[in-house]
Amino acid sequence: MQKVILITGTSSGIGKSTAKKLLAKGHTVYGAARRLEEMQDLEKLGMHTQFLDLTKEDSIQTCVNTILQKEGRIDVLINNAGYGSYGAVEDVSIEEAKRQFEVNLFGLARITQLVLPSMRKNKHGRIVNISSMAGKIYTPFGAWYHATKHALEGWSDCLRLELKAFDIDVVIIQPGAIKTDWGTIAAKNLKENSGSGAYANFANAAADSMHDAYTSDRLTDVAVLGKTIAKAATVKKPKRRYAKGFMAKPAMALRKWLGDGIYEKIIMSQFK
């Protein structure tokens, strides 16, 4: 069955890859992002584009209402938009911390709220939330980013229970290290925030390590994540969680089974 699917953050990376996979399967796909010019290639493939700024209420409402007016329904919402704010807790401004939550959690929550009434009315639907292995582990200088993803994991689990009676699924995707610009941008943010001052030595080492990791050949190709998300969005009976990508399952297993002490020794050993 052809589905009407809204994907946020389709101007690059995982979102763009997911859109391509779903378009190839014949679904009606709406891609939403701030950078409309970066989605012209997807328009040529048949995707409908929508401007979306998750920090603006009117933008979120316009995006959802436009699709509902045209299609009459949204079958699947893929909450992919987000970014990584990195820096020492002492250095990152509370204003930036709030923006991190606004994009990664509150904007996501608001667009979900607006999509749910039509899903409940139709008695079917699916919310796919792109979390991260960062939602189950923790690393230095990623406090605000990890906080948003930890929150998203719990928020999604609660939402799943609330929507069960309406036959609406809630699925969490936990990417590992993927070949996108995310890691290099996060490393740049870390240097800008904490590359000088009290945390300079540690922060620069962490940023260099992050940059090297996200420019290596070990990372998982973004098309692998696109395929996984497309499957999670359309398969008849989805799993609650899909962990995919370099180090996703091993990193989360280390955190879960070895305990905090050993886990932290392993993490900190990377910077000696």
Side-chain angles (χ1 to χ4, degrees), residues 35-234:
R35 297 178 297 170
L36 293 176
E37 70 280 3
E38 297 297 328
M39 298 187 286
Q40 292 179 1
D41 56 332
L42 295 173
E43 282 187 320
K44 293 177 181 177
L45 296 176
M47 189 183 83
H48 307 279
T49 59
Q50 285 288 133
F51 176 80
L52 175 65
D53 183 341
L54 284 173
T55 68
K56 306 293 184 181
E57 172 69 16
D58 58 345
S59 178
I60 298 172
Q61 287 195 21
T62 298
C63 176
V64 173
N65 290 338
T66 298
I67 299 170
L68 290 176
Q69 288 170 7
K70 288 182 178 180
E71 304 294 341
R73 71 186 201 275
I74 295 174
D75 300 308
V76 181
L77 169 63
I78 301 176
N79 283 312
N80 168 71
Y83 74 103
S85 182
Y86 271 68
V89 169
E90 188 177 346
D91 295 332
V92 177
S93 70
I94 294 300
E95 180 182 16
E96 167 58 21
K98 288 180 178 180
R99 182 174 184 273
Q100 176 80 135
F101 268 87
E102 196 67 42
V103 174
N104 287 11
L105 186 66
F106 296 125
L108 175 155
R110 183 57 181 144
I111 198 168
T112 301
Q113 286 181 328
L114 294 176
V115 166
L116 285 178
S118 65
M119 289 186 174
R120 285 192 293 99
K121 180 180 178 181
N122 296 326
K123 297 183 179 179
H124 73 82
R126 187 164 301 170
I127 309 295
V128 181
N129 291 330
I130 311 305
S131 179
S132 170
M133 62 179 175
K136 293 294 185 182
I137 64 172
Y138 53 95
T139 58
F141 303 112
W144 295 114
Y145 176 70
H146 282 278
T148 64
K149 294 305 183 180
H150 276 69
L152 179 57
E153 294 270 341
W155 185 88
S156 300
D157 288 334
C158 293
L159 183 66
R160 184 186 306 109
L161 299 179
E162 295 173 13
L163 298 179
K164 188 175 181 63
F166 303 103
D167 291 326
I168 300 172
D169 303 309
V170 179
V171 180
I172 300 169
I173 308 294
Q174 298 168 311
I178 312 300
K179 290 180 182 177
T180 69
D181 293 334
W182 183 93
T184 54
I185 293 172
K188 180 182 177 181
N189 289 340
L190 174 51
K191 286 206 171 192
E192 289 177 352
N193 285 320
S194 300
S196 59
Y199 302 90
N201 292 339
F202 189 9
N204 284 314
D208 291 341
S209 176
M210 184 182 295
H211 182 274
D212 290 345
Y214 276 88
T215 54
S216 76
D217 294 330
R218 297 179 297 170
L219 272 62
T220 300
D221 190 89
V222 70
V224 175
L225 261 293
K227 182 178 180 180
T228 298
I229 297 168
K231 177 182 178 181
T234 58

